[in-house]
Amino acid sequence: MPIYEFHCEECNKDFEHLVLIASAVDGLTCKHCNSPNIKKMISTTSNQPAKGAAIPAGALSGCSSSSGFS
Ligand SMILES: [Zn+2]
């Protein structure tokens, strides 16, 4: 599930919000001061690994060697 991180320009606080569709962020307000003056930030959720980390380096090298690269 995409959880976006927002930064409020009014109270300078960060908060997270679960966003199911991109347009849902329209009209979203700060959880702390209720201000609409917020910025969406790129958030990497901790409960899902990064795409680069999903493939171990050993798997890549083993694949290339088994394909007759040498
Ligand atoms: Zn705020």
Side-chain angles (χ1 to χ4, degrees), residues 20-59:
L20 298 179
I21 51 175
S23 60
V25 300
D26 295 339
L28 192 69
T29 54
C30 174
K31 281 185 180 179
H32 303 285
C33 68
N34 220 32
S35 167
N37 193 12
I38 56 174
K39 271 186 184 175
K40 190 176 79 170
M41 300 190 293
I42 302 298
S43 178
T44 52
T45 53
S46 58
N47 58 354
Q48 64 185 55
K51 283 181 180 177
I55 305 172

